[in-house]
Amino acid sequence: MSESQFRKPTSRRAFLGGSAAAAVAVGAGAARAAGPDPLITEVQDWAAGLGEGVDATPYGLPIRFEDDVIRRNVEWLTADTISSINFTPIHALDGTITPQGCAFERHHSGAIELRKEDYRLMINGMVETPLIFTYEDLTRFPRENHVYFCECAANSGMEWAGAQLNGAQFTHGMIHNMEYTGVPLRTILEEAGYNGEGKWVYVEGADASSNGRSIPMEKALDDVLVAFKANGEALRKEHGYPVRLVVPGWEGNLWIKWLRRVEVTDAPVESREETSKYTDTLADGTSRKWTWEMDAKSVVTSPSPQSPIPHGPGPLVITGLAWSGRGAITRVDVSKDGGRTWETARLARAGEARALTRFYLDTEWDGSEMLLQSRAMDETGYVQPSKAALREVRGENSIYHNNGIQTWWVRESGEAENVEVS
Amino acid sequence: MSRYREWVVLGLCLGLAGPAMAGQYDLGRPALPEEIAAWDLDVHPDGTGLPAGQGSVKDGERLFSARCAACHGEFAEGVGNWPELAGGEDTLADKDPVKTVGSYWPYLSTVWDYVHRSMPFGDAQSLSDDEVYAITAYILYSNYLVEEDFVLSQENFLEVAMPNADGFIVDDREEAESHFWQDAPCMEDCKDSVEITMRARVLDVTPEDEGEDGAAEEAVEVAATEETAAPDPELVAEGEKVFRKCKACHQVGEGAKNRVGPHLNGVVGRAAGAVEGFRYSKPLETAAADGLVWTEDALAAFLADPRGFLKGTKMAFAGLKSEEDRAAIAAYLATFE
């Protein structure tokens, strides 16, 4: 058996070529075997020989055939990868939990290495007793588990002026969804004797950017978590090991990594990240600030430009993700004709508040072109708007919070492209 | 110490068992004033947190050139993709607004606070309070917001008017976008026609996978680096030009001092990490301990890809892509002993 049978096509282009040819060969209807399949009739190496022993990989990465399912960067976006962002390969994932190893990263001064032993959390400001906690102290408070999405406010930000990046990973990949284990910030504030006086908290990271944001106390006491585990294991370095803040439903910049300080204040600090950045400039030049909540949004992850249809007409699973910072997703509609008609997709599980929801539209593809769209609705009755409707209110210069409906132009070949439609 | 803690201590002293109070776990320890002072640095718009001090535009210009201009440009105009800090007035309603301290930032406190805590990139918290005042003053000056002889201080800080101070509104999405909340979105005949109006492929800015080409090609081109006894004056002159990219952080020649980077007198052939009084990054210290010497080859490799060569280096410089530039720099630096 030659090695080449194991190998995935070396590039996306090769894959597209191969799949298009296969689609033509198979045509409509069920496939019929031209002859016996040697993969079945011949004894394969893996069926005769032995695989790796249990100690071959003490901590495993995905099998090499999946080595294209990785975070990717768009080099021209930022001056330097140290202060930059990359994108989750959402086009290749299913379900809702994002594996930590391919969950997008955003750093302002690089991913630092901070040992648990060197970790300190300070609570100061308008509290009875300013306190210092070690990592171990945090593990002694009662803790909770919650699944939440974390979306960068700039997700889809490059698409404000029109279709730019050709792939769901690039248009919608500044998002991940993990199960967090942590202590409610409320518990920690109360431990320091918060008495209801301060109306804000200022939260700050330990890295050189000292990224800091002001959060109104109402939110801080509601569902904010001081988290130290994600998907059951320690946070990854790039996600703030050993401790990060989780601010459910609110923009990712607030989810302070390497959290080192929480200060109770009477007013917002108006830090760099909440004035010069993460403010949304409208068409008339005024800018919205404190746009913390992430609006309801969805995207078809497959088919999509990086995940073309690899087969001909017949059964086709259209799938995607939906989420809302205001609560649970209640419904997702899918259109195949650019928004002229819609059908309601199936939610894999009932939507959970501020977490990703997976939707499927199990359909019969007739092999013709499609203009695929998805439209999310949340429990507050918010309906994901079209890009045109969004631009009508906000113009094209907002940078942040672009939750407009995405369109993929799926061709007869199964290839897809990021387009905008009238 | 919290009242509860005192009470528990008292209780223990009296030999009483302290019943647990709701929400109190007696975890952590009180923060010391010195610890709070070290970390609680944020400055509010009303000046809360601003330390005493002052700095002039004149001093700021010199400091900015040395500590900031490598990324932000001599006139705060920004280099490459790095942020521009000056200009852009009256552009916020344009197609591509230019958002700078002068055109966009609503509070001066944010500038002082950010420079103080987070800048320079790769050497944060290395500026004194007076230096931060001076740099802030220079940024104001580069935005035509103060005069050349201006001195910024804790006393006059709140008097500086920021042009876009009133340019912000609090999130009003629930009112301005209330029409996005609807009971029954359209399901049939929602549009008369659908036309494709824009295609991402036409723009062609999506990164391609597999970067096999490119990087390898440069490596193929092997320069014949024959040792020559005397420096090639043309190459040295070329190197002096290239060194402009380095000057913001590194000094050479008589009286050269350490700035953002160490002085580079005698660097060629010298052991790495050996300049006295310079605080090197840990990775560089480790490499130095492992015997790294700045031979021409090592320098060339470092300069080709600083962070690839030395992961974690403080040098916030993208590198010199051209082989000729690297050779020229090495020739130029070799003239300083």
Side-chain angles (χ1 to χ4, degrees):
Chain A
M1 186 67 29
S2 82
E3 177 74 7
S4 66
Q5 290 201 3
F6 295 113
R7 209 171 298 147
K8 69 173 177 62
T10 50
S11 77
R12 188 153 42 92
R13 280 179 298 276
F15 171 70
L16 285 173
S19 65
V24 172
V26 173
R32 199 174 283 271
D37 185 347
L39 282 168
I40 297 169
T41 56
E42 291 171 16
V43 176
Q44 304 296 316
D45 286 355
W46 61 81
L50 303 172
E52 283 179 347
V54 289
D55 290 335
T57 316
Y59 192 101
L61 285 172
I63 194 165
R64 60 199 166 95
F65 313 128
E66 298 294 321
D67 65 4
D68 59 335
V69 183
I70 51 171
R71 298 183 277 230
R72 287 183 177 81
N73 171 24
V74 176
E75 224 172 280
W76 53 265
L77 269 183
T78 52
D80 192 299
T81 55
I82 298 288
S83 178
S84 190
I85 191 151
N86 60 20
F87 301 82
T88 307
I90 54 170
H91 63 286
L93 302 178
D94 213 316
T96 56
I97 295 294
T98 314
Q100 292 202 68
C102 67
F104 87 97
E105 312 163 61
R106 200 299 186 226
H107 316 304
H108 295 81
S109 52
I112 57 165
E113 281 191 3
L114 176 56
R115 300 190 319 154
K116 281 179 188 165
E117 293 82 352
D118 297 337
Y119 178 78
R120 300 289 183 273
L121 175 63
M122 178 186 288
I123 312 294
N124 74 312
M126 300 168 72
V127 291
E128 201 171 304
T129 315
L131 291 179
I132 304 286
F133 297 107
T134 62
Y135 180 88
E136 199 178 273
D137 290 336
L138 294 181
T139 66
R140 297 174 66 190
F141 287 105
R143 54 185 182 260
E144 299 179 1
N145 288 189
H146 296 278
V147 176
Y148 295 121
F149 75 82
C150 171
E151 184 186 19
C152 177
N155 200 17
S156 315
M158 295 80 76
E159 307 285 305
W160 270 109
Q164 276 217 60
L165 289 161
N166 210 25
Q169 177 169 22
F170 301 112
T171 57
H172 290 76
M174 295 180 191
I175 191 164
H176 57 60
N177 192 62
M178 301 189 198
E179 184 197 37
Y180 293 97
T181 301
V183 180
L185 180 56
R186 178 186 199 113
T187 306
I188 292 170
L189 289 172
E190 285 173 351
E191 183 70 9
Y194 169 66
N195 59 11
E197 258 176 53
K199 296 302 172 205
W200 294 77
V201 291
Y202 180 70
V203 288
E204 175 189 277
D207 62 317
S209 76
S210 62
N211 184 26
R213 292 288 303 257
S214 308
I215 299 175
M217 187 57 81
E218 196 187 356
K219 178 71 173 176
L221 296 178
D222 180 18
D223 57 2
V224 175
L225 275 185
V226 175
F228 40 84
K229 293 280 165 75
N231 298 347
E233 59 180 359
L235 292 165
R236 293 287 165 90
K237 173 176 78 173
E238 61 269 33
H239 300 129
Y241 178 93
V243 176
R244 87 172 305 168
L245 202 65
V246 168
V247 189
W250 287 21
E251 63 188 18
N253 184 250
L254 295 151
W255 294 46
I256 301 299
K257 300 192 288 188
W258 312 290
L259 179 72
R260 81 168 190 187
R261 197 168 69 90
V262 179
E263 179 183 0
V264 178
T265 63
D266 55 357
V269 168
E270 304 283 7
S271 70
R272 183 224 190 209
E273 304 295 330
E274 55 200 10
T275 53
S276 77
K277 305 285 174 187
Y278 303 97
T279 45
D280 312 8
T281 302
L282 303 170
D284 68 358
T286 59
S287 304
R288 286 178 179 156
K289 65 173 183 177
W290 305 351
T291 47
W292 302 302
E293 244 159 9
M294 300 307 293
D295 294 308
K297 185 168 173 178
S298 68
V299 64
V300 171
T301 53
S302 180
S304 66
Q306 297 160 288
S307 178
I309 303 176
H311 56 75
L316 169 69
V317 175
I318 296 170
T319 186
L321 293 166
W323 60 95
S324 169
R326 293 192 179 87
I329 290 295
T330 50
R331 189 175 116 189
V332 180
D333 299 327
V334 171
S335 173
K336 296 172 185 164
D337 56 12
R340 224 182 309 191
T341 58
W342 295 86
E343 45 195 313
T344 298
R346 170 172 65 89
L347 303 187
R349 265 203 318 272
E352 292 163 42
R354 298 167 187 94
L356 290 189
T357 297
R358 171 66 59 180
F359 65 86
Y360 296 105
L361 186 73
D362 309 300
T363 192
E364 279 288 309
W365 183 41
D366 63 7
S368 62
E369 282 189 2
M370 293 185 283
L371 288 167
L372 272 187
Q373 298 184 333
S374 62
R375 180 175 70 186
M377 289 176 72
D378 72 18
E379 61 180 319
T380 70
Y382 183 99
V383 181
Q384 184 184 1
S386 69
K387 289 187 177 178
L390 210 54
R391 288 184 190 123
E392 212 170 287
V393 189
R394 305 190 196 169
E396 293 183 5
N397 288 332
S398 278
I399 304 174
Y400 306 105
H401 299 283
N402 181 352
N403 68 319
I405 289 172
Q406 174 67 43
T407 310
W408 304 127
W409 181 21
V410 182
R411 314 293 286 272
E412 287 159 339
S413 64
E415 290 175 77
E417 182 181 352
N418 175 13
V419 298
E420 291 216 0
V421 293
S422 57
Chain B
M1 184 169 275
S2 73
R3 255 175 255 138
Y4 166 65
R5 272 160 230 274
E6 284 170 24
W7 189 74
V8 168
V9 171
L10 188 69
L12 290 173
C13 293
L14 296 175
L16 303 169
M21 225 169 168
Q24 302 272 351
Y25 299 94
D26 204 16
L27 291 170
R29 62 160 176 88
L32 301 177
E34 303 91 308
E35 293 172 332
I36 296 173
W39 277 8
D40 186 356
L41 301 173
D42 55 86
V43 180
H44 290 236
D46 66 2
T48 305
L50 196 61
Q54 60 167 46
S56 66
V57 169
K58 202 160 162 276
D59 287 342
E61 183 172 18
R62 180 180 49 78
L63 284 161
F64 194 89
S65 174
R67 310 296 308 269
C68 321
C71 299
H72 296 294
E74 289 289 339
F75 306 101
E77 77 280 14
V79 174
N81 245 348
W82 295 105
E84 52 219 311
L85 305 179
E89 56 273 24
D90 302 324
T91 65
L92 296 181
D94 294 355
K95 189 169 162 46
D96 291 305
V98 179
K99 296 181 175 180
T100 71
V101 170
S103 71
Y104 196 63
W105 294 38
Y107 305 107
L108 188 59
S109 57
T110 313
V111 182
W112 200 98
D113 189 21
Y114 186 69
V115 172
H116 183 226
R117 282 195 285 156
S118 311
M119 288 286 117
F121 191 64
D123 199 14
Q125 299 200 50
S126 62
L127 297 166
S128 70
D129 292 349
D130 284 349
E131 286 176 326
V132 177
Y133 275 107
I135 288 170
T136 307
Y138 179 71
I139 295 171
L140 289 171
Y141 172 71
S142 64
N143 278 288
Y144 307 108
L145 296 175
V146 298
E147 298 299 322
E148 204 173 348
D149 57 359
F150 180 73
V151 178
L152 182 68
S153 66
Q154 188 190 27
E155 288 74 36
N156 67 6
F157 197 86
L158 297 179
E159 292 163 22
V160 179
M162 299 297 278
N164 197 41
D166 298 325
F168 293 81
I169 55 168
V170 172
D171 185 5
D172 65 343
R173 281 177 291 178
E174 290 188 12
E175 299 83 51
E177 299 174 5
S178 59
H179 54 295
F180 294 164
W181 277 265
Q182 41 179 304
D183 293 335
C186 176
M187 297 298 284
E188 299 270 345
D189 299 323
C190 305
K191 295 174 182 178
D192 291 336
S193 68
V194 173
E195 301 294 332
I196 290 172
T197 54
M198 192 172 183
R199 298 178 51 185
R201 250 183 223 180
V202 174
L203 208 61
D204 197 23
V205 290
T206 309
E208 289 287 340
D209 269 354
E210 267 78 50
E212 291 119 26
D213 20 37
E217 274 169 34
E218 223 176 321
V220 176
E221 188 193 318
V222 179
T225 48
E226 276 179 46
E227 290 296 322
T228 44
D232 171 354
E234 265 181 50
L235 199 60
V236 169
E238 194 52 43
E240 190 175 357
K241 274 190 217 159
V242 178
F243 191 72
R244 284 181 200 156
K245 293 185 182 176
C246 322
K247 259 166 106 166
C249 304
H250 295 284
Q251 291 190 341
V252 286
E254 211 184 314
K257 293 199 181 77
N258 295 332
R259 307 224 289 193
V260 175
H263 78 74
L264 296 178
N265 286 346
V267 65
V268 180
R270 188 179 63 203
V275 170
E276 219 167 286
F278 185 76
R279 199 159 55 97
Y280 289 96
S281 64
K282 286 219 179 76
L284 194 133
E285 280 179 356
T286 308
D290 290 345
L292 176 66
V293 173
W294 290 125
T295 61
E296 285 201 23
D297 284 350
L299 260 183
F302 178 54
L303 290 175
D305 179 11
R307 284 191 294 267
F309 182 84
L310 198 65
K311 195 165 168 282
T313 177
K314 278 160 73 174
M315 192 162 92
F317 179 59
L320 294 170
K321 295 295 164 243
S322 134
E323 174 85 40
E324 287 99 64
D325 283 357
R326 297 196 293 268
I329 276 285
Y332 175 65
L333 290 176
T335 64
F336 298 96
E337 308 220 326

